[in-house]
Amino acid sequence: MSRAQNYQPHPSESKVILALDQGTTSSRAMVFNASGEIVAVSQEEFTQLYPQPGWVEHDPEEIWATQNAVMGRALLRAGLDWSKVAAIGVTNQRETTVVWDRETGQPIYPAIVWQDRRTADICQRLQDEGLEELFRSRSGLLLDPYLSGTKIRWILDQVTGAQQRAEAGELAFGTIDSWLIWKLTAGRVHATDATNASRTLLFDIHKGDWDDELLGLLGIPRAVLPEVRDSSGFAAPISCPGIPSGAVIAGVAGDQQAALFGQICNRPGLAKATYGTGGFVLLNTGSTAVPSANGLLTTIAWRRDGKDQYALEGSVFIAGAVVQWLRDGLGIIRKSAEIEELASSVPDSGGVHLVPAFVGLGAPWWDAQARGIITGLTRGTSSAHIARAALEAIALQICDVAQAMEADAGMQLEELRVDGGAAANDLLLQTQADLLGVPVVRPQTYETTALGAAYLAGLAVGFWRDEEQIAAQWQMERRFDPAITRGQAQQRIDDWHRAVARARG
Ligand SMILES: Nc1ncnc2c1ncn2[C@@H]1O[C@H](COP(=O)(O)OP(=O)(O)O)[C@@H](O)[C@H]1O
Ligand SMILES: O=P(O)(O)OC[C@H](O)CO
């Protein structure tokens, strides 16, 4: 899709961008106006399936049904019809893997979610064969069950006849973006964008294409793979019951990369942290794919006009999810937001540390065998201390990956821009600034994931003129400055690392 160079959107213009944000726990649709403001939102949670310890699945049809429902509802709430939608942006939980039949469109197995650990053995086998360095140098990733490649291998092994059908071109693989795009285009488009492709273990991030050697090592036929397109300028016309023709998907990116774009971290050295189910720090490294020596991932930040920009990423598996566990597992809060008041009722965690390694540990440890622990309990420990330790654990994990990032990139962060559901928590963000020793900055719109997808789509169709125009829309809501000494922070980080050592497998 070519960019309309001379297009000058007028603020009163009634056209909008529709962003579809398919997250780990809910499907959301958001309508944005030309000022980058949210006009309407609709959100629906869907079922989390835990068929065995360490396994996490979603029903792809439920993902589609909830996403389909919320996009109609968001437009209805905005009082608009499809003719007002200038373009659609899609952003998604990454790595989650769906394999479906090209003929019937039916998934052959539930979606295996990014948090799922069932392929630890496949990863171990590849490590034992000495292949980690090859995968790392080509794909920028590590051999961990987190990434899609071994999940595809598992499905092709476990579903009867799947390998032969994959080789015969009868099956399609996709991350959630591809699955939604397939549904939205009535099976006419089987495509993904470069950011999502870069999370599969199958993609050479330097060449920007699928890698036959990596595919061969995992026994995955090329025939199952989607075409890889730009993140901005995706150009997939919608063909879907209830939607008039003319609507186009013009932007697609994995949710963390979309948040980086939505936070206008568009220059090397700018970083953001998103606190959703997991916690993800991404640092823009420009046109250089910086390899990590400290347990981070190298990933594609976005592809525009055929050119890839790169980021370093620290992926923390459990962030807001630990708050959900206090709510649903322990029952010590009724709503996620209540954690702040409870945790603020004590001055500190009273020596308690909670390591939320519920699905192992991601960056920088990459320990699939680690499991959650609470240390330092005494007769004086209350639910408030545990709540405080849980919030500190989120901040400490983000601190670990941010420090690894500074070491890899050979630079100091100047500030950290934050977003995601748990970024609403002031105590969490103050703790984050204290531990990191840099200002933590929260923008007016925390929904930067959806905003980033909207920007990628809107830039492609000329709804926004250029990056300068969207950068001018970013506004700070609050800044949290460090309020403890580096010595005090280091003491807390050292105590945390002792607890982490005890949680590891
Ligand atoms: N005030 C809060 N304090 C701490 N955590 C919160 C708060 N509000 C929401 N959360 C957590 O944020 C997460 C939801 O964030 P969201 O960005 O919607 O996640 P996702 O996109 O992964 O589904 C949940 O895990 C929830 O427990
Ligand atoms: O759904 P979120 O916001 O927790 O994001 C999930 C990530 O994309 C997984 O890599």
Side-chain angles (χ1 to χ4, degrees):
M1 180 150 310
S2 68
R3 200 166 305 145
Q5 297 293 340
N6 301 319
Y7 184 82
Q8 294 284 331
H10 189 272
S12 65
E13 187 173 69
S14 57
K15 285 236 174 186
V16 293
I17 300 287
L18 178 65
L20 310 183
D21 178 3
Q22 207 303 304
T24 310
T25 57
S26 72
S27 299
R28 271 181 291 219
M30 282 183 212
V31 178
F32 289 95
N33 66 17
S35 306
E37 294 158 349
I38 299 172
V39 177
V41 185
S42 179
Q43 176 167 7
E44 199 169 314
E45 291 200 2
F46 57 88
T47 318
Q48 306 291 313
L49 303 161
Y50 306 108
Q52 291 191 31
W55 292 28
V56 189
E57 295 178 355
H58 293 157
D59 174 359
E61 296 293 359
E62 193 185 359
I63 285 183
W64 163 240
T66 51
Q67 195 64 65
N68 193 12
V70 293
M71 65 187 185
R73 245 182 263 146
L75 277 180
L76 205 65
R77 282 188 189 156
L80 299 171
D81 62 37
W82 282 95
S83 67
K84 298 291 182 209
V85 177
I88 298 167
V90 173
T91 182
N92 56 288
Q93 55 164 320
R94 306 164 305 163
E95 300 96 16
T96 298
T97 297
V98 188
V99 178
W100 65 93
D101 183 314
R102 289 183 187 274
E103 187 66 31
T104 65
Q106 300 275 317
I108 63 164
Y109 192 81
I112 302 185
V113 177
W114 58 274
Q115 297 161 315
D116 193 290
R117 307 272 89 201
R118 79 186 65 183
T119 60
D121 287 353
I122 304 178
C123 294
Q124 189 61 55
R125 179 173 54 73
L126 293 166
Q127 275 166 15
D128 292 346
E129 287 170 21
L131 293 167
E132 181 126 68
E133 182 48 30
L134 177 65
F135 275 94
R136 204 190 55 72
S137 62
R138 297 261 173 92
S139 71
L141 308 174
L142 297 165
L143 286 170
D144 188 89
Y146 173 41
L147 294 324
S148 311
T150 58
K151 300 183 198 289
I152 309 174
R153 179 67 264 136
W154 192 93
I155 293 174
L156 296 183
D157 279 341
Q158 299 299 320
V159 177
T160 310
Q163 181 69 27
Q164 293 89 316
R165 292 173 66 206
E167 280 164 15
E170 293 169 20
L171 300 181
F173 148 73
T175 38
I176 296 299
D177 56 316
S178 297
W179 169 244
L180 292 178
I181 291 158
W182 173 275
K183 288 289 201 185
L184 286 162
T185 61
R188 291 196 178 94
V189 178
H190 179 215
T192 189
D193 88 302
T195 68
N196 276 294
S198 76
R199 313 298 297 180
T200 59
L201 269 181
L202 309 173
F203 194 72
D204 183 329
I205 57 168
H206 311 285
K207 292 197 178 122
D209 196 4
W210 301 116
D211 185 282
D212 284 321
E213 193 174 358
L214 301 183
L215 284 163
L217 289 167
L218 278 162
I220 297 171
R222 235 183 203 260
V224 301
L225 299 175
E227 173 197 342
V228 182
R229 296 189 180 182
D230 282 13
S231 317
S232 182
F234 197 85
I238 300 272
S239 171
C240 190
I243 307 180
S245 59
V248 172
I249 301 166
V252 177
D255 56 9
Q256 302 310 322
Q257 287 92 335
L260 191 71
F261 200 72
Q263 287 273 27
I264 322 291
C265 293
N266 56 0
R267 283 184 286 111
L270 294 178
K272 68 88 202 179
T274 301
Y275 303 82
T277 304
F280 299 89
V281 184
L282 269 76
L283 170 75
N284 186 324
T285 61
S287 53
T288 313
V290 175
S292 176
N294 293 285
L296 303 180
L297 305 178
T298 309
T299 203
I300 292 180
W302 44 78
R303 180 180 288 183
R304 295 185 63 205
D305 300 324
K307 289 197 200 76
D308 291 330
Q309 295 286 300
Y310 296 91
L312 267 174
E313 172 174 327
S315 327
V316 170
F317 294 156
I318 301 289
V322 70
V323 181
Q324 279 169 323
W325 177 70
L326 295 190
R327 186 192 65 188
D328 307 334
L330 295 190
I332 63 174
I333 49 174
R334 278 172 299 127
K335 287 195 294 185
S336 294
E338 287 177 10
I339 192 175
E340 186 162 5
E341 195 183 339
L342 182 62
S344 300
S345 68
V346 287
D348 54 43
S349 70
V352 174
H353 280 285
L354 193 168
V355 184
F358 303 151
V359 291
L361 287 168
W365 315 105
W366 300 106
D367 187 340
Q369 309 306 329
R371 285 297 172 266
I373 54 161
I374 301 180
T375 65
L377 297 176
T378 67
R379 270 304 295 273
T381 300
S382 68
S383 55
H385 292 115
I386 293 178
R388 187 135 188 152
L391 282 187
E392 287 187 355
I394 300 175
L396 283 155
Q397 291 181 101
I398 294 294
C399 195
D400 281 341
V401 294
Q403 290 186 340
M405 206 160 260
E406 289 180 330
D408 275 338
M411 52 156 288
Q412 299 281 299
L413 290 178
E414 280 172 25
E415 65 170 29
L416 186 64
R417 295 184 171 191
V418 295
D419 56 75
N425 192 309
D426 292 350
L427 177 60
L428 169 64
L429 299 191
Q430 184 56 55
T431 308
Q432 191 69 79
D434 288 348
L435 291 167
L436 260 184
V438 301
V440 166
V441 178
R442 184 168 63 192
Q444 294 279 356
T445 304
Y446 315 174
E447 297 290 357
T448 42
T449 297
L451 182 60
Y455 281 156
L456 288 165
L459 284 170
V461 297
F463 184 81
W464 287 292
R465 199 177 48 245
D466 52 26
E467 283 188 34
E468 229 168 83
Q469 188 190 7
I470 60 171
Q473 296 181 349
W474 189 94
Q475 279 181 27
M476 182 174 81
E477 182 257 336
R478 186 162 168 190
R479 174 186 156 118
F480 299 82
D481 285 306
I484 62 174
T485 65
R486 289 316 297 147
Q488 288 167 321
Q490 196 53 53
Q491 181 64 53
R492 285 163 69 179
I493 293 168
D494 291 346
D495 290 348
W496 158 253
H497 285 162
R498 272 190 285 279
V500 169
R502 293 169 73 175
R504 296 196 57 182

